[in-house]
mmCIF file of all heavy atoms in Angstrom:
data_model
loop_
_atom_site.group_PDB
_atom_site.id
_atom_site.type_symbol
_atom_site.label_atom_id
_atom_site.label_comp_id
_atom_site.label_asym_id
_atom_site.label_seq_id
_atom_site.Cartn_x
_atom_site.Cartn_y
_atom_site.Cartn_z
ATOM 1 N N VAL A 78 61.084 27.318 -42.619
ATOM 2 C CA VAL A 78 60.039 28.322 -42.897
ATOM 3 C C VAL A 78 59.277 28.649 -41.610
ATOM 4 O O VAL A 78 59.012 29.768 -41.256
ATOM 5 C CB VAL A 78 59.130 27.826 -43.991
ATOM 6 C CG1 VAL A 78 57.885 28.769 -44.123
ATOM 7 C CG2 VAL A 78 59.840 27.770 -45.321
ATOM 8 N N LEU A 79 58.902 27.622 -40.846
ATOM 9 C CA LEU A 79 58.146 27.773 -39.627
ATOM 10 C C LEU A 79 58.961 28.557 -38.574
ATOM 11 O O LEU A 79 58.406 29.347 -37.842
ATOM 12 C CB LEU A 79 57.682 26.440 -39.092
ATOM 13 C CG LEU A 79 56.591 25.731 -39.810
ATOM 14 C CD1 LEU A 79 56.270 24.403 -39.192
ATOM 15 C CD2 LEU A 79 55.322 26.594 -39.860
ATOM 16 N N SER A 80 60.230 28.302 -38.468
ATOM 17 C CA SER A 80 61.064 28.980 -37.491
ATOM 18 C C SER A 80 61.236 30.450 -37.806
ATOM 19 O O SER A 80 61.501 31.256 -36.937
ATOM 20 C CB SER A 80 62.427 28.290 -37.301
ATOM 21 O OG SER A 80 63.169 28.403 -38.494
ATOM 22 N N ASN A 81 61.180 30.820 -39.100
ATOM 23 C CA ASN A 81 61.355 32.250 -39.509
ATOM 24 C C ASN A 81 60.027 32.979 -39.525
ATOM 25 O O ASN A 81 60.053 34.213 -39.674
ATOM 26 C CB ASN A 81 62.018 32.293 -40.892
ATOM 27 C CG ASN A 81 63.436 31.869 -40.841
ATOM 28 O OD1 ASN A 81 64.106 31.988 -39.831
ATOM 29 N ND2 ASN A 81 63.889 31.309 -41.979
ATOM 30 N N ASP A 82 58.876 32.322 -39.415
ATOM 31 C CA ASP A 82 57.580 32.991 -39.432
ATOM 32 C C ASP A 82 57.048 33.153 -38.023
ATOM 33 O O ASP A 82 56.188 32.379 -37.584
ATOM 34 C CB ASP A 82 56.648 32.139 -40.311
ATOM 35 C CG ASP A 82 55.343 32.885 -40.518
ATOM 36 O OD1 ASP A 82 55.299 34.101 -40.333
ATOM 37 O OD2 ASP A 82 54.355 32.218 -40.928
ATOM 38 N N LEU A 83 57.600 34.148 -37.320
ATOM 39 C CA LEU A 83 57.183 34.349 -35.922
ATOM 40 C C LEU A 83 55.812 35.054 -35.791
ATOM 41 O O LEU A 83 55.178 34.940 -34.743
ATOM 42 C CB LEU A 83 58.235 35.216 -35.240
ATOM 43 C CG LEU A 83 59.584 34.526 -35.018
ATOM 44 C CD1 LEU A 83 60.548 35.465 -34.393
ATOM 45 C CD2 LEU A 83 59.447 33.254 -34.237
ATOM 46 N N SER A 84 55.346 35.693 -36.815
ATOM 47 C CA SER A 84 54.046 36.410 -36.731
ATOM 48 C C SER A 84 52.907 35.411 -36.479
ATOM 49 O O SER A 84 51.974 35.742 -35.755
ATOM 50 C CB SER A 84 53.804 37.222 -37.990
ATOM 51 O OG SER A 84 53.678 36.379 -39.125
ATOM 52 N N GLN A 85 52.959 34.254 -37.134
ATOM 53 C CA GLN A 85 51.888 33.263 -36.907
ATOM 54 C C GLN A 85 51.928 32.764 -35.462
ATOM 55 O O GLN A 85 50.880 32.562 -34.839
ATOM 56 C CB GLN A 85 52.086 32.058 -37.870
ATOM 57 C CG GLN A 85 50.963 31.090 -37.790
ATOM 58 C CD GLN A 85 49.592 31.650 -38.148
ATOM 59 O OE1 GLN A 85 49.479 32.500 -39.024
ATOM 60 N NE2 GLN A 85 48.578 31.221 -37.470
ATOM 61 N N TYR A 86 53.093 32.544 -34.913
ATOM 62 C CA TYR A 86 53.191 32.092 -33.532
ATOM 63 C C TYR A 86 52.664 33.140 -32.549
ATOM 64 O O TYR A 86 51.936 32.868 -31.575
ATOM 65 C CB TYR A 86 54.637 31.722 -33.168
ATOM 66 C CG TYR A 86 55.059 30.439 -33.844
ATOM 67 C CD1 TYR A 86 56.087 30.472 -34.760
ATOM 68 C CD2 TYR A 86 54.429 29.274 -33.539
ATOM 69 C CE1 TYR A 86 56.480 29.282 -35.389
ATOM 70 C CE2 TYR A 86 54.809 28.066 -34.189
ATOM 71 C CZ TYR A 86 55.820 28.101 -35.101
ATOM 72 O OH TYR A 86 56.247 26.959 -35.680
ATOM 73 N N VAL A 87 52.975 34.420 -32.799
ATOM 74 C CA VAL A 87 52.488 35.490 -31.940
ATOM 75 C C VAL A 87 50.944 35.565 -32.031
ATOM 76 O O VAL A 87 50.260 35.712 -31.056
ATOM 77 C CB VAL A 87 53.128 36.844 -32.334
ATOM 78 C CG1 VAL A 87 52.443 38.002 -31.590
ATOM 79 C CG2 VAL A 87 54.629 36.810 -32.025
ATOM 80 N N GLN A 88 50.436 35.432 -33.251
ATOM 81 C CA GLN A 88 49.001 35.454 -33.450
ATOM 82 C C GLN A 88 48.339 34.260 -32.734
ATOM 83 O O GLN A 88 47.291 34.431 -32.093
ATOM 84 C CB GLN A 88 48.657 35.358 -34.930
ATOM 85 C CG GLN A 88 47.208 35.427 -35.259
ATOM 86 C CD GLN A 88 46.885 35.377 -36.689
ATOM 87 O OE1 GLN A 88 47.807 35.297 -37.524
ATOM 88 N NE2 GLN A 88 45.588 35.433 -37.080
ATOM 89 N N ASN A 89 48.916 33.126 -32.775
ATOM 90 C CA ASN A 89 48.372 31.948 -32.043
ATOM 91 C C ASN A 89 48.451 32.156 -30.524
ATOM 92 O O ASN A 89 47.522 31.826 -29.807
ATOM 93 C CB ASN A 89 49.162 30.688 -32.408
ATOM 94 C CG ASN A 89 48.902 30.247 -33.814
ATOM 95 O OD1 ASN A 89 47.912 30.705 -34.411
ATOM 96 N ND2 ASN A 89 49.722 29.384 -34.338
#
Side-chain angles (χ1 to χ4, degrees):
V78 169
L79 288 177
S80 66
N81 291 331
D82 188 17
L83 293 177
S84 64
Q85 183 64 35
Y86 289 115
V87 171
Q88 183 180 0
N89 289 345

